Amino acid sequence: MMIERKKLAETVGESNLYDDEATLEAYSRDMSFANPTRPRFVVKPHTATEVKELVKLARETNTPLVPVSSGAPHFRGDTVPSTGGAVVVDLSEMKKIVFVDRARRVAMVEPGVTFGELIPVAREEGIRLNMPLLPRSTKSVVGSMLEREPVVMPSYQWDVSDPLACLEVVFGTGDDFRTGQAAGPGTVEEQWAVGGRQKAPYGPHVAAWHRLVQGAQGTMGIVTWASLRCELLPQVQEAFLVGSARLGPLLEMARWLIRLRLVNECFVLSGLDLAAVSAQARPGHLQRLRSALPAWTLFYVVAGYEYFPEERVAVNIKDISALGQRLGLEPVPALGGISARELMKTVQQPSGEPYWKLRYKGGCEDVLFLAPFDRLEVLTELVARLALEDGLTVGEYGVYIQPTVQGTSCHCEFNFFYDPDDAQDVLRVKRLVAAAVRSLLDAGAFFSRPYGEAAGIVMNRDAASLDILRRLKKIFDPAAVMNPGKLCF
Amino acid sequence: MALDKEIYAAFAGVVGEENICDDPALMPAYFFTDFAAVVLPKSTAEVQAVVRLCNQFRLQFRPICTGWTGFFRPGTVLLDLRRMDQIVEINEKNMYAVVEPYVTSAQLQAELFKRGLCTNLKGAGAQCSAMLRGHGHLDQSMGADDRNHLAVEWVTPDGELVRLGSLGSVGEWFSGDGPGPSLRSLISSVVPPSCTPGVFTKVAMKLYHWPGPTRYSLTGYSPRYLLAEKPPNMMARYYSFPTLDQMWQAEIKIGEAEIALELMGFNVAMVAANITTSNEEDEAMFKRLSQEVQGPGFFVIIAGNSPDDFAYKKKVLETIIAENEGMSLKSVEDPEIEGILLTQCTRISASVRETFRPGGNFKSIPIMGQRDLTIRWAVGAGQAKLPLIEQGLIADDGGGFFGWGVEHGHLGKTEIFCKFSPLNPEARKAVDAWAEQQSNRALEEKYFALTMGPPEQIDSKVGPALSNYHLWWYKVLATLDPNEVIPDKGVSKLHP
Amino acid sequence: MALEEYAGDMSMCCRCSACKFVPLQQVKGFKHANVCPSISRYNFHFYSGGGRLNLGYAGLKNGFQYVPRYLDVLYNCQLCGACDVSCKYGMDMEVLRPIQEMRIKAVEDGHPHPALETVVSRMRATGSMVPVAGRKRGDWAEGLGLRNALEEKVEILYHVGCLTSFDPERQKVARATARVLDRAGVSFGVLGEAETCCGGRAYEMGHQADFLAQAAKSKELVEKTGVKTLVTSCATCYQVYKVLYDRFGLKDELEVLHITQLLERLLGEGRLKPSRGQEITVTYHDPCHLGRLGEPWIHWQGKKIPGDRFVFDPPKPYRRGTHGVYEPPRRVLAALPGVRLVEMDRIKEYAWCGGSCGGVIDSNPEFAEWTAAERLAEATCTGAEAIVTASPWSEKLFAQVLAKNGGDLAVYDIVELVDQAV
């Protein structure tokens, strides 16, 4: 049984229902190596009520639903249907910025809202988002948070679920549910009436329900809005770069910068990634930048807020200078033709076009995981060996290391760039990615957000957790209609 | 109600004869509850085996760590985790410590200070388990609730061993979430504690930088230890304000400026309790401080990583206080009292002085979340205490409540309690009625809802008001606990 | 006061568990955070101060059930008072008093510990807490030419105590004490054969009536000498004469000094001039009876003020361990050339018990030895070569455990070191 076209049209309106070849084809694949599978329909609901109705219909008819929030290009395969006959629920038309509240440092948005759309509205109020590194311009804010993407200001990431606050979800049962403070009492509107803003993430009760929806790749339900904690806009900011041929000292410095809460944005990029991030769209610029950059660069921003901002910045810079001396590192305002200030402006916005990961070769496949600070050198060396075995030198792939959760671990991302039109190149990256995942797993890399084929290997390593997740799935999506085939479901 | 012989032998076979007791004569020692038995497992494997036996014999169980207050059904098997008392790891590079349930915060904090690190002490006191969720003096700069937990080792209600996050995948403790959806969703949220499902046998706690000394140098004897020398780059002050709104404005500005190691919205009754060593002293000090303050206030500790950092923070603090017409309490500027507060708040959290010393009992309504919202509710709840104070049923704290910003004001905590004598049934009745009225008001007026009520209240009122979370919870619990060994469907009262 | 009179105190226990640990400000690391030997050894909450109070409170309400496990709990406690100190850091309530009363009540209800009953019977028969074994109480003084305080007028009576008098290994402390006092020119005498037990250990064993009977005998003897000052080298005897007799109205105006207090005085006055001694690093064990339990008794009577607070009229002053004898022994050690003192983690009012108090050494020697072994391990952590104490009971037990378990620590009574130095 399938959802009837008529029912879908009744639910979202004919104009928001797509089954034309071009659209179905577009949603059948992404930039990843996921097998293309064409959906039966694509729908673009505008309201939570419509979403709820869609899930009910899907459940009644056992029709797979694939939720999508961000616009193309997608990179992880999570929005490509794993089974035939699916309906893609594209939430990109749900574009309401419900509120931005400066006093409570929180905003609420629908899933179609992109970073590019929310940033200026938040800025207007005096606050900003703790963003992932250069999200593509079509990236949904809610989507990013649901994926637990790392954020560039680790000092403000108290918990791995940050900046997600509360959310409203329609579970696979068709029931809607609100998490954290938003759960109640009353509707969100009634809460607003007494001054409530949906920010506290925990509860109700001993459960932290938002954590169940996060990282689920749409397999538990469809989120119809989410709130997120925001940070103050600094009054003064100074950005720095620290270059090094060795990763270890930079990580040590990053660790202390975060531990002492001296900086906001803080991450490490390999030469190629820094070049890709900074490159302008003119021929040869990326290559020129790369050739002038050290193997590794630490980037950070020191900021001052309302009270004596210059003094705060000066004090922190002085303390950082002492730290740098201890580690034999020298922070500079520009490095290899890259200005720290320009880089700061760049990373406080979504990526320009083309998306930074596509600038080098047109394609990119990521291997991403979490690891402790003191494991990263070993893991990067391991990948370097594997790459070299396949003829790829260190400088030919990118590495992005993002300290997370106030310095308790790091997100590490290998960006294997490839030319989509070069079959050999594609094959090599495919091979390399598969080999890297296996080797990294064995060496202690934690793939907390596994996508695609790697998901199976990763999820199967922990049978006890897998068992519970599957039991939970039966509760929240008993008919298994929510994005089936993803993760372990 | 002792166990039957076969069951007793099965438990004893796991933990050894010397670590089980089912003698009814001894049970009153534990919470005055007629437990079926108390067992003392030593390891995760023993916890699993005990839990499996509970499933086999359909016996309900509850675990305790250091076990402060609690309400337990008669006939429950109590797992007293006292013998699981090891610090498994202090990872300085990745800022976490892995502890078993009976490691106290006092122990962990002492070890952390030596390494320039710090854990957020819970308000319950440093004699309590270091793995607790909860709130405390350092919430302002060190987070609270479940947000300081990383990986968790968890024995589920049916006795399975689940190792969350990186622990399950790669055997390390740095992350508790994933792969995929986080199982921390089920076991870890806010206080107050209800029945969390199963037993946490090891938890990785996130740590923070400690800018203070590796150890406080103390002089004197109990109960009055004094700081021999004030540590450099640290300062403690209490500020009062003409109005609650000015206090709130100052609190939020301090949060936004990220200058405070601690911001604790004590009322002066709580300051008085902390710095005094007896009820009589406390009463006199409360009167003295009440004369000194101009209105509501809070206690602040600032600490610098360097002399310049400290000077900057101090300047900002003084500016914010002046802008909001705050006034520093002279008594707290006394270096002796300042020293007492510095050490107590970062090292021990002497909450029994604030709560139990006056009358022997207290009843509290703690609320986590949006601070400005809960303050507004608490004003009314405080006023509702005044008649009880006038009737002499509860200790006089001026109708005070307390609370503070968490994570530099991103989140918050507000709490209000009545201190009374457990020997006075009239007082208990009045306090229970006050608590019920005020929590009902919170729910009806849409401020918040307490989820620690008795099951019937959760089912009829609280659950339906909160997205029917209880129905989902019951489904989750049913799958984790097929033999119903978790009492009260996993919801229970904090106090009997 | 009978147990009933502590019902209010017992109801105040909030089960916070502070009674299990040293006062929290004094927790110095992962190790040595515990303060109560009983809960540390046996783990069930009913072995802790708070758990005992809960049992007492329930017993008053529902009747006491003297089942074997309850008696095991009751007698496996050194009554060292550490729980009392730690609780009273935060609370206003009695802890040790009701625990002691529970034991007295058990004896009165016909449930004495058999081993302790034997000890008390011996005291009744011989006036000694320890086996006499054909020896005489004054044998240790043979050849020293000491004055008998019953026969000659002296300023100070040196009360030796049962263990120091009769135990051949401990008699050296009595002899050293006599030598030191002699060198300082102190006018002192002893009771010789006539000395009798202070009775205090019987009280701790729960035998209050026997204690009072024995105390009367001892008091009578001391009065006969006409001295105004009694000094003893036994921490237990010190606590009994100083505190317990005072509590029961038996002390009158007698000045009671522990030998360390007198030595401190003599050193201060220049009457003792330590000039020689071994280079040695030592750690000092505060005997419970000299330390926290040695805090003077406070006579108080009052009534609870009705209402919300556990407060009294007149205000009740609590003994919180603040005023024990902590500094005199340390000052004496500091005055000895070559002696360097390093402190253990648990000292003074929150010292870990040496193991021998409360009758445990007789009722459960294994537990007593375990407790002492914990203390010796703590002492070893300091790097000290020797553990010094001021109680023959601790010294004996430490030596016994070291002999059994091995270890490089030497054990001294503080008077021995002074004797060597002067």
Side-chain angles (χ1 to χ4, degrees):
Chain A
M1 199 164 69
M2 290 280 297
I3 298 183
E4 292 172 36
R5 192 183 187 288
K6 191 175 137 224
K7 292 263 186 192
L8 285 175
E10 278 169 16
T11 304
V12 295
E14 182 64 35
S15 62
N16 297 308
L17 171 63
Y18 303 84
D19 55 358
D20 59 288
E21 281 300 304
T23 304
L24 298 181
E25 178 59 21
Y27 283 87
S28 71
R29 62 179 73 243
D30 67 2
M31 297 287 293
S32 76
F33 302 135
N35 290 328
T37 307
R38 191 176 283 205
R40 179 73 188 84
F41 299 103
V42 174
V43 291
K44 293 191 177 178
H46 282 69
T47 65
T49 312
E50 289 175 12
V51 172
K52 197 171 170 178
E53 190 55 33
L54 285 169
V55 176
K56 275 189 182 159
L57 286 173
R59 197 185 165 186
E60 283 162 18
T61 57
N62 278 328
T63 306
L65 293 185
V66 180
V68 184
S69 304
S70 307
H74 297 275
F75 285 85
R76 313 237 183 270
D78 51 332
T79 55
V80 175
S82 296
T83 55
V87 174
V88 170
V89 181
D90 184 335
L91 302 158
S92 59
E93 295 296 322
M94 292 180 70
K95 278 208 166 298
K96 218 176 286 162
I97 296 175
V98 184
F99 66 75
V100 174
D101 186 320
R102 157 66 185 81
R104 285 88 177 190
R105 289 177 267 171
V106 60
M108 181 189 276
V109 293
E110 289 187 340
V113 175
T114 63
F115 284 98
E117 288 159 347
L118 183 56
I119 287 169
V121 180
R123 169 176 280 277
E124 190 77 10
E125 295 291 322
I127 53 178
R128 62 165 169 166
L129 321 182
N130 197 355
M131 290 168 53
L133 177 68
L134 289 170
R136 62 184 196 273
S137 57
T138 54
K139 183 75 191 180
S140 151
V141 175
V142 172
S144 172
M145 295 192 298
L146 289 178
E147 287 173 58
R148 284 201 303 260
E149 283 196 332
V151 284
V152 292
M153 298 192 286
S155 296
Y156 292 126
Q157 191 187 26
W158 299 76
D159 184 283
V160 74
S161 64
D162 290 347
L164 177 63
C166 307
L167 55 82
E168 180 180 74
V169 59
V170 180
F171 286 131
T173 55
D175 299 291
D176 54 353
F177 185 78
R178 284 170 276 133
T179 67
Q181 185 182 354
T187 62
V188 290
E189 290 81 3
E190 285 172 323
Q191 293 173 13
W192 295 340
V194 290
R197 289 291 179 274
Q198 292 70 31
K199 185 166 181 190
Y202 24 62
H205 191 48
V206 296
W209 305 90
H210 64 303
R211 297 184 194 279
L212 181 71
V213 183
Q214 247 187 337
Q217 299 178 19
T219 58
M220 294 292 172
I222 299 179
V223 172
T224 49
W225 55 250
S227 57
L228 60 146
R229 62 163 58 196
C230 300
E231 305 301 336
L232 291 188
L233 271 181
Q235 310 263 326
V236 177
Q237 298 182 86
E238 288 228 30
F240 294 89
L241 294 162
V242 191
S244 174
R246 286 174 52 221
L247 178 59
L250 294 185
L251 289 174
E252 186 64 6
M253 181 147 182
R255 190 172 82 72
W256 278 100
L257 293 176
I258 296 160
R259 174 169 170 168
L260 298 174
R261 305 234 181 114
L262 292 167
V263 298
N264 286 356
E265 288 87 347
C266 180
F267 52 80
V268 175
L269 292 174
S270 69
L272 180 55
D273 264 6
L274 180 55
V277 161
S278 308
Q280 290 158 9
R282 50 179 205 267
H285 187 228
L286 192 154
Q287 279 79 357
R288 273 201 306 283
L289 281 176
R290 177 174 61 155
S291 64
L293 287 171
W296 300 99
T297 302
L298 165 67
F299 169 74
Y300 64 81
V301 178
V302 183
Y305 296 102
E306 184 177 346
Y307 293 92
F308 316 110
E310 290 85 2
E311 268 182 60
R312 185 185 202 238
V313 168
V315 164
N316 284 8
I317 287 175
K318 192 176 164 197
D319 285 357
I320 293 169
S321 166
L323 178 61
Q325 277 171 14
R326 183 157 64 80
L327 298 169
L329 295 169
E330 192 190 355
V332 290
L335 187 67
I338 290 174
S339 144
R341 172 153 284 273
E342 285 307 311
L343 182 60
M344 177 183 83
K345 286 184 191 160
T346 303
V347 302
Q348 289 178 351
Q349 294 293 329
S351 171
E353 295 300 332
Y355 177 50
W356 71 273
K357 289 184 182 175
L358 305 182
R359 287 175 193 168
Y360 182 42
K361 286 187 161 180
C364 179
E365 182 75 7
D366 299 331
V367 172
L368 50 99
F369 55 86
L370 294 176
F373 274 87
D374 43 348
R375 185 66 53 81
L376 287 167
E377 272 187 292
V378 171
L379 297 179
T380 50
E381 282 160 18
L382 184 153
V383 171
R385 275 199 306 279
L386 284 174
L388 201 58
E389 281 168 19
D390 219 340
L392 200 64
T393 59
V394 167
E396 286 297 303
Y397 59 89
V399 188
Y400 161 44
I401 294 175
Q402 178 60 66
T404 55
V405 196
Q406 296 183 321
T408 51
S409 60
C410 288
H411 162 90
C412 179
E413 186 175 309
F414 292 94
N415 309 117
F416 293 107
F417 303 118
Y418 64 90
D419 177 356
D421 298 327
D422 178 345
Q424 287 299 321
D425 206 16
V426 171
L427 261 179
R428 178 167 68 179
V429 166
K430 261 190 181 177
R431 228 172 20 236
L432 194 50
V433 164
V437 169
R438 276 193 301 273
S439 300
L440 286 165
L441 256 175
D442 291 341
F446 173 43
F447 287 77
S448 68
R449 304 160 48 209
Y451 295 95
E453 282 184 22
I457 307 169
V458 171
M459 302 300 293
N460 282 325
R461 277 179 81 94
D462 181 1
S465 294
L466 189 67
D467 175 51
I468 297 207
L469 283 173
R470 284 185 171 145
R471 285 194 254 162
L472 292 176
K473 171 77 171 171
K474 278 191 185 146
I475 293 171
F476 294 97
D477 179 24
V481 292
M482 298 307 310
N483 209 1
K486 300 302 185 297
L487 291 167
C488 53
F489 308 123
Chain B
M1 67 183 70
L3 295 171
D4 94 25
K5 273 186 182 162
E6 179 206 356
I7 298 177
Y8 179 93
F11 281 119
V14 173
V15 294
E17 281 280 351
E18 66 280 20
N19 293 307
I20 175 166
C21 177
D22 71 341
D23 192 327
L26 279 302
M27 291 303 131
Y30 280 92
F31 311 101
F32 296 103
T33 300
D34 192 8
F35 289 107
V38 180
V39 291
L40 299 165
K42 175 70 184 161
S43 63
T44 302
E46 286 189 10
V47 169
Q48 271 191 280
V50 168
V51 168
R52 284 184 173 142
L53 287 174
C54 288
N55 276 269
Q56 184 185 332
F57 298 116
R58 299 289 196 274
L59 286 166
Q60 295 196 325
F61 74 89
R62 286 283 305 272
I64 54 168
C65 299
T66 37
W68 196 356
T69 52
F71 176 59
F72 303 90
R73 294 265 175 228
T76 308
V77 173
L78 187 70
L79 270 66
D80 180 346
L81 303 177
R82 190 187 145 77
R83 293 171 71 222
M84 299 179 70
D85 59 359
Q86 295 300 303
I87 296 176
V88 178
E89 181 187 2
I90 294 176
N91 191 316
E92 292 179 54
K93 287 221 157 166
N94 300 289
M95 308 270 284
Y96 64 79
V98 183
V99 292
E100 290 191 328
Y102 209 87
V103 173
T104 65
S105 291
Q107 289 173 295
L108 184 62
Q109 194 74 312
E111 290 298 333
L112 294 177
F113 275 14
K114 293 174 194 171
R115 295 160 170 85
L117 293 168
C118 189
T119 183
N120 184 1
L121 294 181
K122 312 308 177 295
Q127 81 283 6
C128 292
S129 172
M131 70 158 59
L132 288 183
R133 293 174 293 213
H135 288 257
H137 282 273
L138 300 169
D139 283 7
Q140 171 82 190
S141 63
M142 300 188 190
D145 288 312
D146 65 338
R147 294 169 58 81
N148 281 326
H149 285 173
L150 299 172
V152 178
E153 184 183 82
W154 171 38
V155 174
T156 62
D158 54 357
E160 290 303 313
L161 180 65
V162 179
R163 307 194 316 153
L164 269 59
S166 55
L167 188 64
S169 276
V170 294
E172 294 198 49
W173 295 90
F174 56 84
S175 175
D177 304 77
S182 172
L183 291 181
R184 276 214 293 153
S185 54
L186 306 182
I187 61 171
S188 186
S189 180
V190 277
V191 285
S194 298
C195 298
T196 38
V199 186
F200 309 149
T201 45
K202 293 184 187 78
V203 174
M205 301 296 294
K206 192 168 148 232
L207 304 176
Y208 295 85
H209 181 70
W210 170 243
T214 52
R215 177 174 155 181
Y216 284 122
S217 175
L218 300 175
T219 61
Y221 303 94
S222 184
R224 196 168 183 81
Y225 296 117
L226 301 176
L227 199 49
E229 193 185 356
K230 193 171 123 178
N233 305 326
M234 289 186 92
M235 181 179 96
R237 289 287 182 270
Y238 186 91
Y239 299 103
S240 70
F241 297 86
T243 66
L244 185 62
D245 187 56
Q246 283 165 302
M247 184 203 85
W248 162 242
Q249 288 305 323
E251 177 184 318
I252 198 69
K253 290 288 182 192
I254 288 170
E256 290 181 358
E258 301 171 6
I259 53 168
L261 182 80
E262 161 164 357
L263 187 149
M264 164 62 70
F266 269 169
N267 51 55
V268 283
M270 299 176 82
V271 176
N274 264 276
I275 61 181
T276 53
T277 60
S278 71
N279 279 324
E280 286 81 9
E281 249 186 69
D282 184 355
E283 209 164 331
M285 182 62 81
F286 174 52
K287 280 185 188 143
R288 176 175 139 190
L289 298 184
S290 299
Q291 298 295 313
E292 280 186 49
V293 293
Q294 52 175 344
F298 52 64
F299 172 71
V300 180
I301 296 176
I302 56 168
N305 295 319
S306 64
D308 289 348
D309 185 33
F310 178 68
Y312 168 76
K313 285 172 174 163
K314 190 163 177 262
K315 183 174 165 184
V316 175
L317 176 68
E318 284 164 355
T319 306
I320 293 171
I321 298 303
E323 279 177 2
N324 293 286
E325 299 179 60
M327 190 179 79
S328 172
L329 204 63
K330 290 287 169 244
S331 294
V332 173
E333 289 182 4
D334 173 349
E336 190 173 301
I337 292 180
E338 183 187 10
I340 293 172
L341 283 167
L342 265 180
T343 55
Q344 289 208 357
C345 299
T346 57
R347 193 66 184 77
I348 69 165
S349 184
S351 65
V352 293
R353 287 182 173 180
E354 301 154 18
T355 49
F356 288 100
R357 185 175 64 193
N361 208 343
F362 79 110
K363 183 154 193 148
S364 167
I365 306 180
I367 322 117
M368 272 54 71
Q370 189 189 325
R371 176 89 167 115
D372 60 322
L373 183 70
T374 52
I375 286 178
R376 260 183 286 144
W377 166 82
V379 170
Q383 282 160 358
K385 283 204 292 189
L386 297 175
L388 278 68
I389 294 171
E390 278 163 27
Q391 293 165 53
L393 295 170
I394 63 172
D396 183 4
D397 60 2
F401 58 90
F402 63 106
W404 54 87
V406 179
E407 297 177 9
H408 294 307
H410 266 297
L411 298 166
K413 150 83 186 263
T414 299
E415 184 165 350
I416 184 164
F417 53 57
C418 294
K419 295 177 274 191
F420 64 99
S421 165
L423 300 175
N424 182 350
E426 196 194 343
R428 179 179 284 281
K429 210 172 136 193
V431 168
D432 284 346
W434 166 83
E436 197 182 339
Q437 281 160 11
Q438 294 311 312
S439 39
N440 280 342
R441 183 171 68 84
L443 191 140
E444 281 153 18
E445 296 179 10
K446 314 286 189 257
Y447 285 107
F448 62 87
L450 295 177
T451 57
M452 61 174 178
E456 54 279 10
Q457 187 178 315
I458 299 297
D459 291 351
S460 65
K461 211 161 64 175
V462 179
L466 299 180
S467 285
N468 280 321
Y469 79 90
H470 62 307
L471 302 179
W472 295 106
W473 177 249
Y474 295 154
K475 284 181 190 175
V476 168
L477 198 64
T479 190
L480 296 174
D481 179 24
N483 298 313
E484 298 183 358
V485 292
I486 303 298
D488 294 339
K489 297 195 282 187
V491 291
S492 76
K493 291 205 278 187
L494 184 64
H495 295 292
Chain C
M1 277 168 82
L3 185 59
E4 290 75 8
E5 293 171 63
Y6 294 104
D9 298 82
M10 293 193 286
S11 77
M12 288 289 288
C13 174
C14 61
R15 214 255 183 239
C16 73
S17 288
C19 55
K20 295 169 184 168
F21 309 105
V22 301
L24 300 170
Q25 305 250 34
Q26 300 292 2
V27 174
K28 292 170 181 125
F30 172 70
K31 279 186 177 177
H32 309 140
N34 291 327
V35 82
C36 167
S38 188
I39 179 78
S40 301
R41 172 71 181 82
Y42 296 107
N43 288 312
F44 286 103
H45 183 62
F46 33 79
Y47 287 95
S48 71
R52 289 167 191 277
L53 298 191
N54 287 356
L55 287 180
Y57 191 64
L60 282 183
K61 226 165 146 184
N62 309 319
F64 284 89
Q65 298 173 57
Y66 291 106
V67 297
R69 192 68 180 250
Y70 176 76
L71 293 171
D72 187 72
V73 171
L74 202 62
Y75 290 106
N76 275 314
C77 166
Q78 278 96 347
L79 296 163
C80 74
C83 56
D84 192 77
V85 169
S86 289
C87 173
K88 287 173 177 169
Y89 176 85
M91 293 291 283
D92 281 0
M93 58 185 272
E94 295 297 348
V95 182
L96 180 62
R97 299 295 335 130
I99 292 173
Q100 170 77 58
E101 292 299 334
M102 284 165 74
R103 202 180 276 193
I104 292 169
K105 181 167 174 51
V107 172
E108 287 172 356
D109 289 349
H111 300 280
H113 191 286
L116 301 185
E117 200 171 29
T118 306
V119 174
V120 174
S121 306
R122 181 197 300 139
M123 181 191 78
R124 260 184 244 129
T126 66
S128 169
M129 265 290 142
V130 299
V132 174
R135 289 182 287 269
K136 290 184 179 163
R137 202 176 254 274
D139 284 356
W140 66 271
E142 205 176 301
L144 292 178
L146 303 181
R147 285 186 276 183
N148 187 318
L150 288 169
E151 294 162 5
E152 291 180 56
K153 182 132 182 82
V154 290
E155 285 175 17
I156 294 179
L157 171 66
Y158 171 35
H159 175 86
V160 186
C162 304
L163 184 65
T164 313
S165 296
F166 287 108
D167 184 335
E169 292 298 313
R170 309 278 91 65
Q171 289 171 351
K172 61 185 176 181
V173 175
R175 285 195 287 272
T177 305
R179 273 197 298 273
V180 170
L181 294 180
D182 197 39
R183 270 175 223 150
V186 175
S187 160
F188 77 99
V190 292
L191 291 174
E193 303 307 320
E195 185 184 289
T196 191
C197 179
C198 63
R201 291 179 84 84
Y203 177 75
E204 287 186 350
M205 292 170 186
H207 294 258
Q208 181 168 279
D210 285 291
F211 157 67
L212 289 171
Q214 180 64 29
K217 290 181 200 166
S218 179
K219 175 180 157 64
E220 192 186 332
L221 257 179
V222 175
E223 278 174 353
K224 266 191 197 164
T225 66
V227 298
K228 291 196 171 120
T229 302
L230 178 149
V231 68
T232 177
S233 53
C234 174
T236 307
C237 298
Y238 168 77
Q239 192 264 351
V240 175
Y241 285 115
K242 172 87 179 176
V243 183
L244 209 51
Y245 279 27
D246 193 10
R247 182 182 160 209
F248 285 98
L250 301 168
K251 183 171 159 292
D252 300 331
E253 296 303 310
L254 185 69
E255 181 190 36
V256 178
L257 293 176
H258 185 258
I259 187 65
T260 54
Q261 294 171 305
L262 182 57
L263 291 174
E264 186 196 18
R265 201 182 280 177
L266 296 172
L267 286 163
E269 291 168 356
R271 293 166 69 182
L272 278 177
K273 291 196 173 102
S275 57
R276 57 202 158 91
Q278 46 176 327
E279 288 289 329
I280 188 168
T281 302
V282 303
T283 191
Y284 174 70
H285 167 71
D286 290 273
C288 308
H289 286 99
L290 184 59
R292 55 184 163 247
L293 298 175
E295 175 167 329
W297 185 256
I298 303 171
H299 291 276
W300 170 85
Q301 269 201 319
K303 277 190 174 168
K304 184 184 176 301
I305 299 171
D308 55 282
R309 289 180 180 233
F310 194 63
V311 289
F312 298 85
D313 183 24
K316 180 172 179 186
Y318 286 88
R319 294 170 69 237
R320 297 180 200 261
T322 314
H323 303 292
V325 181
Y326 306 119
E327 300 308 333
R330 287 174 171 79
R331 289 195 197 112
V332 169
L333 287 172
L336 303 180
V339 174
R340 192 174 78 91
L341 174 67
V342 287
E343 295 282 11
M344 286 183 272
D345 284 345
R346 295 171 289 193
I347 54 170
K348 301 182 183 177
E349 75 276 19
Y350 56 94
W352 176 263
C353 173
S356 59
C357 321
V360 167
I361 203 166
D362 296 301
S363 63
N364 187 353
E366 183 274 331
F367 175 39
E369 286 178 6
W370 178 88
T371 307
E374 290 285 305
R375 189 56 161 169
L376 292 169
E378 184 180 356
T380 305
C381 287
T382 65
E385 297 155 82
I387 183 165
V388 179
T389 184
S391 150
W393 295 93
S394 305
E395 194 214 337
K396 177 184 160 76
L397 189 56
F398 288 159
Q400 183 181 315
V401 170
L402 280 165
K404 206 170 184 178
N405 299 351
D408 296 330
L409 273 182
V411 185
Y412 293 107
D413 188 286
I414 190 166
V415 183
E416 291 180 87
L417 291 184
V418 177
D419 183 36
Q420 287 171 18
V422 297

